[in-house]
C-alpha cells in the first residue's frame, strides 16, 4: 500500500473514533439487557459433561470458547507459515518457541498475572493449556526430526539435544494429566520442576547447536523472564515472619505473625508459606498457600500491616506440620498474591462461604465495613469542627474519605460443624462493632446441629444464628435464610451487585445457578469465586464424620495430637502455646 492509502485509513479512524463510545453505549443499553440471563449462563455456568469427565475442571462456555480459539489459532498460524514455504517442522518449532514466553512468566506466582488482574485459577488453566500446546508443537518438530534420523541421517548432537528436550517435555505433558497428577500427590511439583528444568536445558543446547538466531532470541527471552520473575519474588515478595501467638484445634491452626517490613495487602490476598527446614533456615522445596487475616481494624483500612494472622486447615501433610510450630519460630512468607476485586465499587456485595471458605470472604467484609466506619468517623469529626456551638477556632483538619459505593454487605456462612465459628469468633465480633447503627451488614450463620452454646456475636434482626430445632434438618432450618431468598431480596436495592462465593464445587455451583436464575433485564449480578479456595475436610474426628486421619487422635484436644512426621528440629505438639480467652482482639 502507498502513502495515500495509509493516510486514508488513519483519517477514517480519526473520524470514527468519536462515534465508538456512543455506539458502545447504545449497544450496552438496548442490546445487552434482554440477553443478561443468557450472557450470565454463558459466563458462569459450568459444562456438566466436562465436569463429570474431569476435563477442563468444569469449564464454562466462555473458557471453552477462549481455549478453542487459542488452539485453533496456533493450528492456523502453523499452517499459514507452511503455506508460505516453510516446513511443518520449522513452523511448529517457531510456534512452540513463541508459546514459551507466556508459559515461563512465573508459574503460580506470576507478577504479570497480578498486574493484569488474572485470577489464580484462570492463570493455572492458561498455564496448563499453553504448556500442553507448546509441548505438542515441539513434539511434532521432534517427530519429524527423528523420522529423518531413522531414514539414515546421522544421530548427531543436534538430534541428541532434541531428544533430551522432547523426552523431558513429553514427561511433563503426561504427568500434567489429572489422573497421573493425583497419583503423584505432593511429589508432583518437585518432579514437574526437575523435568521442565531438564527440558529447558536440552532446548537451550538444541537452539545453540542449530544456530537459529530467531529461536535463540525467543528461548533466551523466555528463560530471562523466568529468571527475572524468580529474582523479583526473592527481592520484593519474600519476608521472614516470627510466630507471636498460636491457637489450634483438631482441624485448623491459626498463627499470629509479625514481620519487620510492612506487608501491603488487600482483602483476599494470600501467601505461600515455607516452614522451618531440617538443614537450612527454611524448607524451600515445598510450600502451601495460606490466607491472611487482618490483625486490627486500622490495618484493614490502610492495607499495610506488620502484625497479622493466618488460618490454615490440615488438608495436607505439609499444613499438618503447623502443629509443631512454637511461639518464637520463624517462617518464610512469599507474597502477598491474589486478585483485588475492588468490591467498594458495587452497591450490594453478597459474600457466601461454606466451612473453612469463610477465611476468604470474611476479610472482604471487614475491609468494606472498616472503610465505611472510617468515612463516618471523618465526617462526624468534620461536623463537630464546623459546629459553631463547639467553640473551636481552629479550622477542621483536612482528611480524605473513601466514598465507597457499597451500601449493603450480606455475609452468608454455612458451617460444616458448630465449632467452626470459634475459628473466627473475634473477627465476627469486630465486624459487628464496625456497624453500630446496623444499617450496612446482614449476617446469617447456618449451623448444622442444634444449639449447644451462644454464638460468638450478639444476635439481632440482621445478625442471625440459625440452628436446627425440633427434629429439623439443616436444609429445613436454612430455608427461611437461604441464599436464594437473600438474593431475591437484594433486587429491591438499586445499583450493581456482586456475589463472591468460596466453598466446595457443589456449593459454588449451587450459588452459580442461583445467580443465573435471579439475573434479569433490570438486575445484572456478577458472580466471582474467591481466588483462594481452601480444600474442605471430608472427615472430622469426634463428630461422626468418619475415622480420623493417620496420626491423629480421636479427641479434639490439640495437646494430644500426634504429628504425622517429625523432622530434626520439630518439637512435640503438647508444647503448643494457645491464646487465652482474654487475648487481644484479632480482626
Amino acid at each position: 500500500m502507498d502513502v495515500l492509502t495509509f493516510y486514508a485509513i488513519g483519517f477514517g479512524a480519526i473520524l470514527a473514533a468519536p462515534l465508538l463510545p456512543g455506539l458502545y453505549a447504545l449497544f450496552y443499553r438496548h442490546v445487552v439487557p434482554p440477553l443478561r440471563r443468557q450472557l450470565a449462563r454463558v459466563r458462569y455456568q459450568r459444562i456438566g459433561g466436562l465436569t463429570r469427565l474431569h476435563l477442563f475442571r468444569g469449564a464454562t462456555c466462555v473458557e471453552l470458547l477462549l481455549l478453542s480459539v487459542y488452539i485453533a489459532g496456533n493450528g492456523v498460524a502453523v499452517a499459514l507459515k507452511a503455506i508460505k514455504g516453510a516446513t511443518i517442522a520449522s513452523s511448529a518449532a517457531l510456534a512452540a518457541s513463541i508459546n514459551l514466553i507466556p508459559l515461563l512468566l512465573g508459574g503460580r506466582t506470576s507478577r504479570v498475572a497480578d498486574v493484569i488482574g488474572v485470577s489464580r485459577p484462570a492463570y493455572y488453566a492458561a498455564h496448563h493449556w499453553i504448556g500442553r500446546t507448546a509441548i505438542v508443537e515441539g513434539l511434532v518438530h521432534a517427530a519429524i526430526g527423528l523420522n529423518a534420523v531413522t531414514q539414515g541421517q546421522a544421530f548427531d548432537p543436534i538430534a541428541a539435544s532434541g531428544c533430551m528436550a522432547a523426552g523431558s517435555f513429553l514427561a511433563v505433558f503426561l504427568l500434567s494429566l489429572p489422573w497421573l497428577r493425583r497419583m503423584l500427590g505432593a511429589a508432583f511439583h518437585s518432579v514437574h520442576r526437575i523435568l521442565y528444568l531438564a527440558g529447558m536445558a536440552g532446548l537451550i543446547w538444541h537452539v545453540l547447536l542449530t544456530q537459529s538466531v530467531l529461536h535463540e532470541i525467543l528461548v533466551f527471552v523466555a528463560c530471562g523472564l523466568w529468571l527475572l520473575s524468580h529474582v523479583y519474588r526473592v527481592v520484593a515478595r519474600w519476608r521472614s515472619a516470627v510466630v507471636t501467638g498460636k491457637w489450634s484445634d483438631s482441624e485448623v491452626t491459626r498463627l499470629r505473625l509479625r514481620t519487620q517490613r510492612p506487608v501491603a495487602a488487600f482483602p483476599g490476598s494470600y501467601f505461600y508459606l515455607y516452614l522451618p527446614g531440617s538443614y537450612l533456615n527454611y524448607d524451600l522445596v515445598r510450600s502451601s498457600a495460606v490466607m491472611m487475616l487482618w490483625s486490627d481494624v486500622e490495618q484493614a483500612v490502610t492495607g499495610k500491616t506488620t502484625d497479622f494472622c493466618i488460618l490454615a486447615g490440615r488438608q495436607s501433610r505439609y499444613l499438618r506440620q503447623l502443629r509443631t510450630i512454637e511461639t518464637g519460630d520463624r517462617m518464610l512468607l512469599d507474597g502477598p498474591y491474589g486478585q483485588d476485586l475492588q468490591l467498594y465499587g458495587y452497591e450490594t456485595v453478597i459474600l457466601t462461604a461454606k466451612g473453612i471458605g469463610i477465611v476468604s470472604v470474611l476479610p472482604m467484609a471487614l475491609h468494606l465495613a472498616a472503610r465505611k466506619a472510617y468515612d463516618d468517623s471523618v465526617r462526624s469529626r468534620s461536623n463537630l469542627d464546623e459546629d459553631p456551638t463547639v467553640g473551636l477556632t481552629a479550622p477542621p483538619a483536612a482528611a480524605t474519605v473513601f466514598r465507597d459505593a457499597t451500601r449493603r454487605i450480606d455475609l452468608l456462612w454455612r458451617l460444616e460443624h458448630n465449632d467452626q465459628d470459634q475459628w473466627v469468633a473475634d473477627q465476627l465480633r469486630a465486624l459487628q462493632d464496625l456497624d453500630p447503627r446496623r444499617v450496612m451488614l446482614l449476617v446469617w450463620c447456618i449451623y448444622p446441629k442444634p444449639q449447644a452454646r451462644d454464638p460468638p456475636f450478639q444476635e439481632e434482626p440482621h445478625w442471625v444464628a440459625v440452628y436446627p430445632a425440633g427434629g429439623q434438618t439443616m436444609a429445613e432450618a436454612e430455608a427461611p435464610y437461604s441464599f436464594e431468598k437473600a438474593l431475591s431480596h437484594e433486587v429491591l436495592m438499586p445499583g450493581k451487585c456482586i456475589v463472591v462465593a468460596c466453598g466446595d464445587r457443589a456449593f459454588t455451583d449451587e450459588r452459580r445457578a442461583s445467580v443465573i436464575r435471579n439475573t434479569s433485564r433490570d438486575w445484572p449480578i456478577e458472580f466471582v469465586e474467591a481466588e483462594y479456595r481452601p480444600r474442605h475436610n471430608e472427615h472430622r474426628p469426634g463428630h461422626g464424620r468418619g475415622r480420623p486421619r493417620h496420626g491423629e487422635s480421636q479427641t479434639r484436644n490439640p495437646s494430644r495430637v500426634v504429628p504425622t512426621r517429625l523432622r530434626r528440629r520439630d518439637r512435640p505438639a503438647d508444647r503448643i502455646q494457645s491464646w487465652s480467652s482474654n487475648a487481644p482482639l484479632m480482626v
Side-chain angles (χ1 to χ4, degrees), residues 513-550:
S514 296
V515 167
I516 294 172
R517 284 194 300 268
N518 287 275
T519 299
S520 63
R521 176 189 181 98
D522 300 322
W523 182 242
I525 307 173
E526 187 170 344
F527 177 82
V528 180
E529 281 195 64
E531 184 166 350
Y532 174 77
R533 306 169 196 170
R535 288 186 296 171
H536 289 249
N537 291 333
E538 296 180 359
H539 304 293
R540 185 173 187 271
H543 282 74
R545 311 184 91 188
R547 299 178 59 186
R549 296 184 186 88
H550 174 69

mmCIF file of all heavy atoms in Angstrom, residues 513-550:
data_model
loop_
_atom_site.group_PDB
_atom_site.id
_atom_site.type_symbol
_atom_site.label_atom_id
_atom_site.label_comp_id
_atom_site.label_asym_id
_atom_site.label_seq_id
_atom_site.Cartn_x
_atom_site.Cartn_y
_atom_site.Cartn_z
ATOM 1 N N ALA A 513 -25.941 -21.269 40.007
ATOM 2 C CA ALA A 513 -27.290 -21.462 39.477
ATOM 3 C C ALA A 513 -28.249 -20.419 40.019
ATOM 4 O O ALA A 513 -29.115 -19.912 39.278
ATOM 5 C CB ALA A 513 -27.772 -22.875 39.811
ATOM 6 N N SER A 514 -28.121 -20.060 41.289
ATOM 7 C CA SER A 514 -29.000 -19.042 41.862
ATOM 8 C C SER A 514 -28.769 -17.678 41.218
ATOM 9 O O SER A 514 -29.716 -16.934 40.953
ATOM 10 C CB SER A 514 -28.777 -18.952 43.371
ATOM 11 O OG SER A 514 -29.140 -20.145 44.014
ATOM 12 N N VAL A 515 -27.514 -17.350 40.968
ATOM 13 C CA VAL A 515 -27.213 -16.068 40.326
ATOM 14 C C VAL A 515 -27.811 -16.017 38.928
ATOM 15 O O VAL A 515 -28.396 -15.004 38.517
ATOM 16 C CB VAL A 515 -25.684 -15.845 40.281
ATOM 17 C CG1 VAL A 515 -25.328 -14.694 39.357
ATOM 18 C CG2 VAL A 515 -25.150 -15.581 41.683
ATOM 19 N N ILE A 516 -27.691 -17.106 38.182
ATOM 20 C CA ILE A 516 -28.249 -17.136 36.825
ATOM 21 C C ILE A 516 -29.765 -17.004 36.866
ATOM 22 O O ILE A 516 -30.361 -16.273 36.059
ATOM 23 C CB ILE A 516 -27.811 -18.433 36.112
ATOM 24 C CG1 ILE A 516 -26.293 -18.419 35.887
ATOM 25 C CG2 ILE A 516 -28.543 -18.592 34.781
ATOM 26 C CD1 ILE A 516 -25.749 -19.729 35.363
ATOM 27 N N ARG A 517 -30.419 -17.694 37.799
ATOM 28 C CA ARG A 517 -31.882 -17.618 37.888
ATOM 29 C C ARG A 517 -32.363 -16.217 38.249
ATOM 30 O O ARG A 517 -33.416 -15.780 37.777
ATOM 31 C CB ARG A 517 -32.388 -18.615 38.934
ATOM 32 C CG ARG A 517 -32.398 -20.053 38.471
ATOM 33 C CD ARG A 517 -33.227 -20.919 39.414
ATOM 34 N NE ARG A 517 -32.702 -20.886 40.765
ATOM 35 C CZ ARG A 517 -31.823 -21.759 41.248
ATOM 36 N NH1 ARG A 517 -31.368 -22.736 40.455
ATOM 37 N NH2 ARG A 517 -31.399 -21.689 42.493
ATOM 38 N N ASN A 518 -31.622 -15.512 39.066
ATOM 39 C CA ASN A 518 -32.070 -14.205 39.533
ATOM 40 C C ASN A 518 -31.576 -13.053 38.674
ATOM 41 O O ASN A 518 -31.974 -11.914 38.898
ATOM 42 C CB ASN A 518 -31.615 -13.979 40.979
ATOM 43 C CG ASN A 518 -32.411 -14.801 41.962
ATOM 44 O OD1 ASN A 518 -33.482 -14.412 42.400
ATOM 45 N ND2 ASN A 518 -31.893 -15.976 42.305
ATOM 46 N N THR A 519 -30.696 -13.326 37.717
ATOM 47 C CA THR A 519 -30.268 -12.287 36.793
ATOM 48 C C THR A 519 -31.399 -11.969 35.818
ATOM 49 O O THR A 519 -32.019 -12.867 35.257
ATOM 50 C CB THR A 519 -29.022 -12.734 36.014
ATOM 51 O OG1 THR A 519 -27.962 -12.990 36.939
ATOM 52 C CG2 THR A 519 -28.590 -11.666 35.026
ATOM 53 N N SER A 520 -31.662 -10.696 35.640
ATOM 54 C CA SER A 520 -32.764 -10.279 34.764
ATOM 55 C C SER A 520 -32.349 -9.047 33.975
ATOM 56 O O SER A 520 -31.226 -8.548 34.110
ATOM 57 C CB SER A 520 -34.022 -9.977 35.590
ATOM 58 O OG SER A 520 -33.785 -8.891 36.466
ATOM 59 N N ARG A 521 -33.258 -8.574 33.188
ATOM 60 C CA ARG A 521 -33.002 -7.406 32.339
ATOM 61 C C ARG A 521 -32.601 -6.191 33.170
ATOM 62 O O ARG A 521 -31.681 -5.451 32.809
ATOM 63 C CB ARG A 521 -34.259 -7.097 31.521
ATOM 64 C CG ARG A 521 -34.151 -5.849 30.661
ATOM 65 C CD ARG A 521 -35.496 -5.483 30.050
ATOM 66 N NE ARG A 521 -35.382 -4.299 29.208
ATOM 67 C CZ ARG A 521 -35.254 -4.336 27.890
ATOM 68 N NH1 ARG A 521 -35.237 -5.492 27.270
ATOM 69 N NH2 ARG A 521 -35.142 -3.220 27.195
ATOM 70 N N ASP A 522 -33.278 -5.995 34.303
ATOM 71 C CA ASP A 522 -33.050 -4.807 35.116
ATOM 72 C C ASP A 522 -32.133 -5.077 36.305
ATOM 73 O O ASP A 522 -31.882 -4.156 37.093
ATOM 74 C CB ASP A 522 -34.390 -4.269 35.635
ATOM 75 C CG ASP A 522 -35.337 -3.898 34.503
ATOM 76 O OD1 ASP A 522 -34.852 -3.371 33.489
ATOM 77 O OD2 ASP A 522 -36.546 -4.176 34.634
ATOM 78 N N TRP A 523 -31.673 -6.306 36.475
ATOM 79 C CA TRP A 523 -30.888 -6.648 37.655
ATOM 80 C C TRP A 523 -29.700 -7.521 37.275
ATOM 81 O O TRP A 523 -29.728 -8.732 37.380
ATOM 82 C CB TRP A 523 -31.782 -7.353 38.676
ATOM 83 C CG TRP A 523 -31.096 -7.708 39.958
ATOM 84 C CD1 TRP A 523 -30.908 -8.963 40.452
ATOM 85 C CD2 TRP A 523 -30.509 -6.832 40.897
ATOM 86 N NE1 TRP A 523 -30.235 -8.915 41.644
ATOM 87 C CE2 TRP A 523 -29.976 -7.613 41.953
ATOM 88 C CE3 TRP A 523 -30.365 -5.434 40.959
ATOM 89 C CZ2 TRP A 523 -29.321 -7.045 43.034
ATOM 90 C CZ3 TRP A 523 -29.722 -4.878 42.044
ATOM 91 C CH2 TRP A 523 -29.214 -5.681 43.058
ATOM 92 N N PRO A 524 -28.600 -6.914 36.808
ATOM 93 C CA PRO A 524 -27.407 -7.708 36.497
ATOM 94 C C PRO A 524 -26.653 -8.048 37.771
ATOM 95 O O PRO A 524 -26.457 -7.207 38.646
ATOM 96 C CB PRO A 524 -26.588 -6.763 35.605
ATOM 97 C CG PRO A 524 -27.006 -5.389 36.033
ATOM 98 C CD PRO A 524 -28.440 -5.487 36.485
ATOM 99 N N ILE A 525 -26.248 -9.290 37.875
ATOM 100 C CA ILE A 525 -25.496 -9.760 39.040
ATOM 101 C C ILE A 525 -24.196 -10.377 38.537
ATOM 102 O O ILE A 525 -24.208 -11.228 37.648
ATOM 103 C CB ILE A 525 -26.284 -10.802 39.849
ATOM 104 C CG1 ILE A 525 -27.675 -10.274 40.198
ATOM 105 C CG2 ILE A 525 -25.538 -11.173 41.117
ATOM 106 C CD1 ILE A 525 -28.566 -11.306 40.852
ATOM 107 N N GLU A 526 -23.102 -9.950 39.112
ATOM 108 C CA GLU A 526 -21.804 -10.515 38.753
ATOM 109 C C GLU A 526 -21.444 -11.600 39.755
ATOM 110 O O GLU A 526 -21.635 -11.429 40.967
ATOM 111 C CB GLU A 526 -20.726 -9.430 38.749
ATOM 112 C CG GLU A 526 -19.391 -9.905 38.222
ATOM 113 C CD GLU A 526 -18.408 -8.769 37.999
ATOM 114 O OE1 GLU A 526 -18.855 -7.610 37.972
ATOM 115 O OE2 GLU A 526 -17.209 -9.064 37.860
ATOM 116 N N PHE A 527 -20.926 -12.710 39.259
ATOM 117 C CA PHE A 527 -20.554 -13.838 40.116
ATOM 118 C C PHE A 527 -19.057 -14.083 40.021
ATOM 119 O O PHE A 527 -18.481 -14.131 38.925
ATOM 120 C CB PHE A 527 -21.308 -15.097 39.704
ATOM 121 C CG PHE A 527 -20.921 -16.315 40.492
ATOM 122 C CD1 PHE A 527 -21.482 -16.546 41.735
ATOM 123 C CD2 PHE A 527 -19.995 -17.221 40.001
ATOM 124 C CE1 PHE A 527 -21.126 -17.660 42.478
ATOM 125 C CE2 PHE A 527 -19.632 -18.334 40.732
ATOM 126 C CZ PHE A 527 -20.204 -18.559 41.973
ATOM 127 N N VAL A 528 -18.417 -14.242 41.189
ATOM 128 C CA VAL A 528 -16.980 -14.494 41.251
ATOM 129 C C VAL A 528 -16.723 -15.552 42.312
ATOM 130 O O VAL A 528 -17.305 -15.499 43.402
ATOM 131 C CB VAL A 528 -16.189 -13.212 41.594
ATOM 132 C CG1 VAL A 528 -14.699 -13.506 41.659
ATOM 133 C CG2 VAL A 528 -16.476 -12.110 40.589
ATOM 134 N N GLU A 529 -15.877 -16.506 41.988
ATOM 135 C CA GLU A 529 -15.375 -17.425 43.008
ATOM 136 C C GLU A 529 -14.131 -16.824 43.633
ATOM 137 O O GLU A 529 -13.275 -16.273 42.937
ATOM 138 C CB GLU A 529 -15.045 -18.785 42.400
ATOM 139 C CG GLU A 529 -16.249 -19.674 42.168
ATOM 140 C CD GLU A 529 -15.839 -21.115 41.907
ATOM 141 O OE1 GLU A 529 -15.266 -21.743 42.818
ATOM 142 O OE2 GLU A 529 -16.085 -21.588 40.790
ATOM 143 N N ALA A 530 -14.033 -16.912 44.951
ATOM 144 C CA ALA A 530 -12.846 -16.408 45.634
ATOM 145 C C ALA A 530 -11.597 -17.082 45.080
ATOM 146 O O ALA A 530 -11.592 -18.278 44.785
ATOM 147 C CB ALA A 530 -12.955 -16.649 47.142
ATOM 148 N N GLU A 531 -10.538 -16.303 44.940
ATOM 149 C CA GLU A 531 -9.335 -16.843 44.315
ATOM 150 C C GLU A 531 -8.678 -17.907 45.185
ATOM 151 O O GLU A 531 -8.238 -18.944 44.698
ATOM 152 C CB GLU A 531 -8.350 -15.708 44.038
ATOM 153 C CG GLU A 531 -7.114 -16.164 43.302
ATOM 154 C CD GLU A 531 -6.333 -15.005 42.739
ATOM 155 O OE1 GLU A 531 -6.829 -13.877 42.751
ATOM 156 O OE2 GLU A 531 -5.210 -15.234 42.276
ATOM 157 N N TYR A 532 -8.593 -17.663 46.473
ATOM 158 C CA TYR A 532 -8.023 -18.655 47.392
ATOM 159 C C TYR A 532 -9.152 -19.543 47.874
ATOM 160 O O TYR A 532 -10.084 -19.093 48.535
ATOM 161 C CB TYR A 532 -7.354 -17.952 48.573
ATOM 162 C CG TYR A 532 -6.860 -18.920 49.631
ATOM 163 C CD1 TYR A 532 -5.690 -19.652 49.432
ATOM 164 C CD2 TYR A 532 -7.554 -19.095 50.815
ATOM 165 C CE1 TYR A 532 -5.245 -20.541 50.397
ATOM 166 C CE2 TYR A 532 -7.109 -19.980 51.785
ATOM 167 C CZ TYR A 532 -5.952 -20.694 51.573
ATOM 168 O OH TYR A 532 -5.510 -21.575 52.520
ATOM 169 N N ARG A 533 -9.095 -20.827 47.540
ATOM 170 C CA ARG A 533 -10.158 -21.764 47.874
ATOM 171 C C ARG A 533 -9.573 -22.924 48.660
ATOM 172 O O ARG A 533 -9.074 -23.897 48.085
ATOM 173 C CB ARG A 533 -10.828 -22.294 46.597
ATOM 174 C CG ARG A 533 -11.315 -21.176 45.690
ATOM 175 C CD ARG A 533 -11.710 -21.697 44.340
ATOM 176 N NE ARG A 533 -11.816 -20.613 43.372
ATOM 177 C CZ ARG A 533 -11.966 -20.789 42.077
ATOM 178 N NH1 ARG A 533 -12.041 -22.019 41.586
ATOM 179 N NH2 ARG A 533 -12.039 -19.763 41.259
ATOM 180 N N PRO A 534 -9.580 -22.842 49.996
ATOM 181 C CA PRO A 534 -9.035 -23.950 50.784
ATOM 182 C C PRO A 534 -9.847 -25.207 50.597
ATOM 183 O O PRO A 534 -11.070 -25.165 50.465
ATOM 184 C CB PRO A 534 -9.133 -23.432 52.228
ATOM 185 C CG PRO A 534 -10.199 -22.387 52.181
ATOM 186 C CD PRO A 534 -10.130 -21.767 50.818
ATOM 187 N N ARG A 535 -9.158 -26.326 50.570
ATOM 188 C CA ARG A 535 -9.843 -27.604 50.422
ATOM 189 C C ARG A 535 -10.596 -27.929 51.695
ATOM 190 O O ARG A 535 -10.172 -27.606 52.795
ATOM 191 C CB ARG A 535 -8.845 -28.718 50.105
ATOM 192 C CG ARG A 535 -8.276 -28.635 48.705
ATOM 193 C CD ARG A 535 -7.419 -29.836 48.420
ATOM 194 N NE ARG A 535 -6.250 -29.882 49.297
ATOM 195 C CZ ARG A 535 -5.421 -30.916 49.369
ATOM 196 N NH1 ARG A 535 -5.652 -31.978 48.644
ATOM 197 N NH2 ARG A 535 -4.383 -30.886 50.167
ATOM 198 N N HIS A 536 -11.740 -28.614 51.543
ATOM 199 C CA HIS A 536 -12.599 -28.923 52.673
ATOM 200 C C HIS A 536 -12.306 -30.322 53.175
ATOM 201 O O HIS A 536 -12.067 -31.256 52.396
ATOM 202 C CB HIS A 536 -14.065 -28.806 52.271
ATOM 203 C CG HIS A 536 -14.495 -27.396 52.041
ATOM 204 N ND1 HIS A 536 -15.367 -26.743 52.857
ATOM 205 C CD2 HIS A 536 -14.132 -26.498 51.088
ATOM 206 C CE1 HIS A 536 -15.552 -25.502 52.419
ATOM 207 N NE2 HIS A 536 -14.807 -25.346 51.346
ATOM 208 N N ASN A 537 -12.346 -30.462 54.489
ATOM 209 C CA ASN A 537 -12.148 -31.777 55.093
ATOM 210 C C ASN A 537 -13.367 -32.656 54.869
ATOM 211 O O ASN A 537 -14.501 -32.221 55.065
ATOM 212 C CB ASN A 537 -11.906 -31.641 56.599
ATOM 213 C CG ASN A 537 -10.561 -31.004 56.896
ATOM 214 O OD1 ASN A 537 -9.633 -31.099 56.108
ATOM 215 N ND2 ASN A 537 -10.463 -30.349 58.039
ATOM 216 N N GLU A 538 -13.144 -33.887 54.462
ATOM 217 C CA GLU A 538 -14.251 -34.814 54.278
ATOM 218 C C GLU A 538 -14.616 -35.521 55.583
ATOM 219 O O GLU A 538 -15.740 -35.934 55.773
ATOM 220 C CB GLU A 538 -13.871 -35.866 53.223
ATOM 221 C CG GLU A 538 -13.655 -35.248 51.843
ATOM 222 C CD GLU A 538 -13.294 -36.298 50.834
ATOM 223 O OE1 GLU A 538 -13.198 -37.482 51.232
ATOM 224 O OE2 GLU A 538 -13.094 -35.973 49.658
ATOM 225 N N HIS A 539 -13.655 -35.681 56.482
ATOM 226 C CA HIS A 539 -13.907 -36.369 57.745
ATOM 227 C C HIS A 539 -13.375 -35.506 58.876
ATOM 228 O O HIS A 539 -12.319 -34.901 58.755
ATOM 229 C CB HIS A 539 -13.213 -37.728 57.784
ATOM 230 C CG HIS A 539 -13.597 -38.599 56.638
ATOM 231 N ND1 HIS A 539 -14.863 -39.100 56.469
ATOM 232 C CD2 HIS A 539 -12.875 -39.034 55.581
ATOM 233 C CE1 HIS A 539 -14.911 -39.827 55.366
ATOM 234 N NE2 HIS A 539 -13.723 -39.794 54.818
ATOM 235 N N ARG A 540 -14.109 -35.502 59.943
ATOM 236 C CA ARG A 540 -13.667 -34.747 61.110
ATOM 237 C C ARG A 540 -13.757 -35.624 62.338
ATOM 238 O O ARG A 540 -14.832 -36.065 62.700
ATOM 239 C CB ARG A 540 -14.518 -33.492 61.307
ATOM 240 C CG ARG A 540 -13.993 -32.619 62.438
ATOM 241 C CD ARG A 540 -14.756 -31.299 62.487
ATOM 242 N NE ARG A 540 -14.149 -30.419 63.435
ATOM 243 C CZ ARG A 540 -14.464 -30.386 64.725
ATOM 244 N NH1 ARG A 540 -15.358 -31.223 65.189
ATOM 245 N NH2 ARG A 540 -13.871 -29.549 65.539
ATOM 246 N N PRO A 541 -12.640 -35.911 62.999
ATOM 247 C CA PRO A 541 -12.661 -36.785 64.159
ATOM 248 C C PRO A 541 -13.549 -36.229 65.255
ATOM 249 O O PRO A 541 -13.559 -35.047 65.530
ATOM 250 C CB PRO A 541 -11.185 -36.834 64.600
ATOM 251 C CG PRO A 541 -10.416 -36.415 63.396
ATOM 252 C CD PRO A 541 -11.299 -35.484 62.643
ATOM 253 N N GLY A 542 -14.299 -37.144 65.883
ATOM 254 C CA GLY A 542 -15.099 -36.761 67.024
ATOM 255 C C GLY A 542 -16.433 -36.170 66.680
ATOM 256 O O GLY A 542 -17.169 -35.741 67.550
ATOM 257 N N HIS A 543 -16.798 -36.075 65.388
ATOM 258 C CA HIS A 543 -18.074 -35.501 65.009
ATOM 259 C C HIS A 543 -18.865 -36.437 64.113
ATOM 260 O O HIS A 543 -19.688 -36.014 63.319
ATOM 261 C CB HIS A 543 -17.863 -34.153 64.304
ATOM 262 C CG HIS A 543 -17.581 -33.054 65.251
ATOM 263 N ND1 HIS A 543 -16.367 -32.932 65.871
ATOM 264 C CD2 HIS A 543 -18.357 -32.030 65.712
ATOM 265 C CE1 HIS A 543 -16.388 -31.859 66.654
ATOM 266 N NE2 HIS A 543 -17.573 -31.311 66.582
ATOM 267 N N GLY A 544 -18.573 -37.718 64.182
ATOM 268 C CA GLY A 544 -19.349 -38.698 63.444
ATOM 269 C C GLY A 544 -19.205 -38.590 61.955
ATOM 270 O O GLY A 544 -20.110 -38.900 61.205
ATOM 271 N N ARG A 545 -18.026 -38.128 61.451
ATOM 272 C CA ARG A 545 -17.864 -37.940 60.026
ATOM 273 C C ARG A 545 -16.787 -38.859 59.480
ATOM 274 O O ARG A 545 -16.140 -38.560 58.501
ATOM 275 C CB ARG A 545 -17.505 -36.486 59.720
ATOM 276 C CG ARG A 545 -18.413 -35.513 60.411
ATOM 277 C CD ARG A 545 -18.076 -34.115 60.004
ATOM 278 N NE ARG A 545 -18.850 -33.725 58.847
ATOM 279 C CZ ARG A 545 -18.650 -32.610 58.180
ATOM 280 N NH1 ARG A 545 -17.696 -31.810 58.510
ATOM 281 N NH2 ARG A 545 -19.404 -32.305 57.148
ATOM 282 N N GLY A 546 -16.573 -39.997 60.126
ATOM 283 C CA GLY A 546 -15.601 -40.950 59.598
ATOM 284 C C GLY A 546 -14.454 -41.165 60.560
ATOM 285 O O GLY A 546 -14.372 -40.580 61.633
ATOM 286 N N ARG A 547 -13.527 -41.986 60.164
ATOM 287 C CA ARG A 547 -12.383 -42.307 61.005
ATOM 288 C C ARG A 547 -11.375 -41.182 60.943
ATOM 289 O O ARG A 547 -11.262 -40.450 59.966
ATOM 290 C CB ARG A 547 -11.757 -43.609 60.509
ATOM 291 C CG ARG A 547 -12.689 -44.790 60.572
ATOM 292 C CD ARG A 547 -12.013 -46.008 60.017
ATOM 293 N NE ARG A 547 -10.798 -46.332 60.762
ATOM 294 C CZ ARG A 547 -9.967 -47.289 60.400
ATOM 295 N NH1 ARG A 547 -10.201 -48.005 59.321
ATOM 296 N NH2 ARG A 547 -8.882 -47.540 61.111
ATOM 297 N N PRO A 548 -10.573 -41.027 61.999
ATOM 298 C CA PRO A 548 -9.561 -39.970 61.982
ATOM 299 C C PRO A 548 -8.471 -40.284 60.985
ATOM 300 O O PRO A 548 -8.236 -41.425 60.618
ATOM 301 C CB PRO A 548 -9.024 -39.970 63.420
ATOM 302 C CG PRO A 548 -9.292 -41.351 63.923
ATOM 303 C CD PRO A 548 -10.570 -41.786 63.255
ATOM 304 N N ARG A 549 -7.788 -39.229 60.566
ATOM 305 C CA ARG A 549 -6.664 -39.419 59.657
ATOM 306 C C ARG A 549 -5.535 -40.145 60.379
ATOM 307 O O ARG A 549 -5.448 -40.173 61.595
ATOM 308 C CB ARG A 549 -6.152 -38.065 59.162
ATOM 309 C CG ARG A 549 -7.162 -37.307 58.353
ATOM 310 C CD ARG A 549 -6.497 -36.034 57.853
ATOM 311 N NE ARG A 549 -7.464 -35.199 57.174
ATOM 312 C CZ ARG A 549 -8.224 -34.305 57.784
ATOM 313 N NH1 ARG A 549 -8.124 -34.138 59.084
ATOM 314 N NH2 ARG A 549 -9.074 -33.575 57.101
ATOM 315 N N HIS A 550 -4.634 -40.666 59.573
ATOM 316 C CA HIS A 550 -3.479 -41.364 60.128
ATOM 317 C C HIS A 550 -2.660 -40.394 60.971
ATOM 318 O O HIS A 550 -2.293 -39.313 60.531
ATOM 319 C CB HIS A 550 -2.607 -41.908 58.990
ATOM 320 C CG HIS A 550 -1.327 -42.523 59.482
ATOM 321 N ND1 HIS A 550 -1.301 -43.694 60.191
ATOM 322 C CD2 HIS A 550 -0.049 -42.111 59.367
ATOM 323 C CE1 HIS A 550 -0.050 -43.998 60.476
ATOM 324 N NE2 HIS A 550 0.719 -43.050 59.991
#
